[in-house]
Amino acid sequence: MSSQNIYILAIESSCDDTAAAVMHNGKVLSNIVASQKIHEEYGGVVPELASRAHQQNIVPVVDQAIKKSGINKSQLTAIAFTRGPGLMGSLLVGTSFAKSMAYGLNIPLIDVNHMQAHILAHFIEEEDFKKPEFPFLAMTISGGHTQIVKVSSHFEMEVIGETIDDAVGEAFDKSGKILGLGYPAGPEIDRRAKLGNPKAFAFTKPRVAGLNFSFSGLKTAILYFIQKQVKANPNFIKENLNDICASIQYTIIGILIDKLKLATKQTNINDIAIGGGVSANTGIRQALKNGEQKFGWTTYIPKFEYTTDNAAMIAIVGHLKYLEGDYANQSVMASARLKI
Ligand code: KG4
Ligand code: ZN
């Protein structure tokens, strides 16, 4: 650990959460997230509404993060922000805010890739959490992304598999929508899955070569299955909801674990770190733990608040990039399709 005092303010606004965090030498001092409720009514994130809500939230969220950290903004060393990938309108709010603040305080500005941040969240200084050792495999699973990444060092990352259509979180959310559940449906499917039989109904897993994923076929299979059952019994969903949720979750987890098995075999790497909102899922956590015994894996699951979209993960990347002297300049632009 460096003997310097490095204070990073980080801002995340890539999708529908406005978040800010303050970090001191890799340790989180504050981590504030304002989740936008407005999208629930629409059953998905509405980009135009997201950017407006960011605009409203950003000042109070940053203000709260600084207050809660106990430091004064004049002590900040640098400002990190999510440059992409994400929704352009949303990214622009955080990017512009971070640029202005760094300019005003005359301190370095550091651009962060959101996908890298989900992975490097494992390097936040936390008691009782061990950090993965290089090289390891990272699986980022959320409402916007599904990737398997080979991580050779903090900044050497190679995407070795990704979804060709929907993200895994969308598979949860869209299935939930078919079942009439609220948005996002992932947490509720998880909760109900614990009460149901995972083998009650079988859904065919999509066949995608190599390490890539596909979830749109699964969504269609679930839709047709439900339509057929409801035709025969209008109360089918109500009577079988927990079993349906357990079966959907079981299928999705099976897809993820199959790909991880293949990835460990192809790379000969048995250390696996997960990140993204779906890594909160109880079933995937259990399946990874089972993998430790069954396949000799070592698995790393971050603290819950660092798995869903948050600014602490942006701060740790800011911290690591600061140590490398890797700054952005004021001409940096948000990038909706930024790659790892
Ligand atoms: O990382 P995140 O907060 O935002 C991005 O999409 O980047 O992830 C949100 C996604 C949603 O699709 C939500 O349904 C899913 O994570 N999710 C879950 C659980 N908690 C959140 N999916 C399954 N089980 C959960 N417990
Ligand atoms: Zn994310």
Side-chain angles (χ1 to χ4, degrees):
M1 180 60 56
S2 144
S3 59
Q4 254 181 303
N5 275 320
I6 302 170
Y7 290 100
I8 306 284
L9 168 70
I11 292 162
E12 152 67 35
S13 72
S14 64
C15 189
D16 61 339
D17 295 305
T18 318
V22 177
M23 175 170 269
H24 175 225
N25 290 351
K27 263 201 168 127
V28 176
L29 297 182
S30 62
N31 186 29
I32 308 291
V33 184
S35 298
Q36 303 175 0
K37 291 260 167 255
I38 181 101
H39 308 288
E40 286 172 12
E41 293 169 36
Y42 297 87
V45 177
V46 184
E48 174 68 21
L49 296 178
S51 41
R52 288 176 195 219
H54 283 305
Q55 185 91 280
Q56 282 184 331
N57 293 342
I58 190 119
V59 172
V61 165
V62 169
D63 203 47
Q64 218 184 323
I66 293 174
K67 280 208 179 93
K68 208 170 159 209
S69 74
I71 69 155
N72 190 287
K73 63 177 182 300
S74 63
Q75 289 173 270
L76 289 172
T77 313
I79 297 189
F81 70 97
T82 304
R83 184 179 168 216
L87 302 170
M88 189 41 111
S90 292
L91 290 166
L92 283 175
V93 178
T95 303
S96 307
F97 188 90
K99 279 195 197 187
S100 320
M101 194 157 169
Y103 182 68
L105 293 171
N106 197 20
I107 55 177
L109 177 67
I110 299 172
D111 60 313
V112 173
N113 180 308
H114 179 93
M115 297 309 299
Q116 244 174 13
H118 270 302
I119 296 170
L120 295 177
H122 288 270
F123 294 88
I124 294 172
E125 295 291 338
E126 274 289 327
E127 272 165 42
D128 303 328
F129 276 77
K130 56 181 180 4
K131 300 189 182 93
E133 280 170 31
F134 302 114
F136 64 90
L137 296 175
M139 183 169 72
T140 34
I141 41 180
S142 80
H145 12 265
T146 307
Q147 289 187 328
I148 300 180
V149 183
K150 183 180 162 192
V151 187
S152 305
S153 75
H154 288 136
F155 298 107
E156 257 175 285
M157 298 187 184
E158 185 195 348
V159 178
I160 56 173
E162 63 190 329
T163 183
I164 56 169
D165 42 56
D166 288 352
V168 60
E170 284 179 283
F172 275 101
D173 297 339
K174 289 179 178 175
S175 307
K177 201 169 179 178
I178 296 169
L179 300 173
L181 305 180
Y183 174 86
E188 168 136 29
I189 293 181
D190 187 2
R191 192 176 61 74
R192 289 187 174 274
K194 287 183 203 144
L195 308 169
N197 172 10
K199 300 205 173 143
F201 309 106
F203 302 105
T204 345
K205 288 189 206 161
R207 262 182 257 275
V208 191
L211 296 173
N212 284 342
F213 299 89
S214 166
F215 288 102
S216 71
L218 178 66
K219 173 194 66 195
T220 315
I222 292 168
L223 178 66
Y224 289 163
F225 168 78
I226 295 292
Q227 281 175 342
K228 197 173 145 208
Q229 298 295 329
V230 168
K231 222 173 176 178
N233 168 15
N235 289 325
F236 177 76
I237 296 179
K238 219 163 101 195
E239 287 167 9
N240 298 281
L241 192 50
N242 293 343
D243 283 350
I244 304 170
C245 287
S247 303
I248 291 172
Q249 181 166 306
Y250 179 77
T251 310
I252 294 175
I253 292 170
I255 296 168
L256 298 175
I257 296 293
D258 282 354
K259 293 293 177 177
L260 276 180
K261 270 162 53 185
L262 187 60
T264 54
K265 215 164 127 196
Q266 282 187 5
T267 58
N268 231 346
I269 298 172
N270 287 304
D271 286 35
I272 299 167
I274 61 168
V278 180
S279 51
N281 184 270
T282 328
I284 188 74
R285 286 174 174 240
Q286 190 55 50
L288 286 171
K289 281 277 156 259
N290 295 345
E292 298 206 328
Q293 268 119 47
K294 265 164 69 185
F295 315 121
W297 293 349
T298 305
T299 62
Y300 302 86
I301 304 175
K303 260 174 104 170
F304 178 73
E305 57 261 48
Y306 306 145
T307 62
T308 54
D309 284 354
N310 67 88
M313 70 181 192
I314 306 303
I316 189 66
V317 185
H319 178 82
L320 294 166
K321 285 183 94 168
Y322 181 82
L323 293 176
E324 306 261 310
D326 187 357
Y327 311 150
N329 64 40
Q330 282 285 339
S331 62
V332 66
M333 302 229 287
S335 169
R337 293 175 184 277
L338 191 65
K339 298 259 182 267
I340 275 189

